[in-house]
């Protein structure tokens, strides 16, 4: 399979999301440094986890679409399915 970046059309959105996540992580660092209440820290950790999962989902979605289109064009469905299974397995760990 190709190593291209099928998420190019979402690149600006992904960068914006990642910058927001970076800010959230810095906020969590500040909260820990300031000995903030555990529940408040955990809520922010959950928000970061959800945000990073969304970024991964967007990339996976674009990859899956491109992978399947390439498989149909190249009559290589089995290899594409195996790759998708591998990628999904790594992503959900």
């Amino acid at each position: 399979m190709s190593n291209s970046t099928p998420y190019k059309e979402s690149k600006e959105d992904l960068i914006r999301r990642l910058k927001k996540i970076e800010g959230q992580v810095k906020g969590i660092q500040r909260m820990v440094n300031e000995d903030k209440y555990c529940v408040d820290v955990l809520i922010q950790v959950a928000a970061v986890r959800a945000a990073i999962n969304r970024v991964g989902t967007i990339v996976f979605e674009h990859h899956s679409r491109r992978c399947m289109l390439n498989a149909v064009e190249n009559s290589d469905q089995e290899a594409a399915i195996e790759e998708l299974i591998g990628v999904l397995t790594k992503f959900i760990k």
Side-chain angles (χ1 to χ4, degrees):
M1 293 289 121
S2 168
N3 287 330
S4 66
T5 54
Y7 55 82
K8 278 185 179 179
E9 59 268 15
S10 296
K11 190 172 182 177
E12 287 181 29
D13 178 47
L14 290 168
I15 295 297
R16 181 183 51 76
R17 288 172 183 272
L18 289 167
K19 286 181 180 182
K20 183 178 179 183
I21 292 165
E22 181 180 23
Q24 288 175 298
V25 170
K26 287 179 181 179
I28 294 170
Q29 289 172 339
R30 190 170 43 256
M31 290 174 76
V32 170
N33 191 45
E34 296 171 358
D35 298 320
K36 295 295 182 180
Y37 184 52
C38 294
V39 173
D40 295 336
V41 173
L42 290 171
I43 289 169
Q44 293 307 309
V45 168
V48 168
R49 186 180 303 127
I52 200 72
N53 282 341
R54 183 64 186 134
V55 168
T57 300
I58 291 168
V59 173
F60 180 77
E61 190 176 312
H62 285 285
H63 172 74
S64 299
R65 290 177 195 285
R66 173 69 56 88
C67 186
M68 288 294 107
L69 287 174
N70 287 342
V72 169
E73 290 172 1
N74 299 323
S75 299
D76 199 12
Q77 291 87 350
E78 190 61 37
I81 290 168
E82 288 302 316
E83 181 184 49
L84 278 176
I85 291 169
V87 169
L88 182 58
T89 300
K90 289 175 187 172
F91 178 62
I92 62 173
K93 278 187 178 182

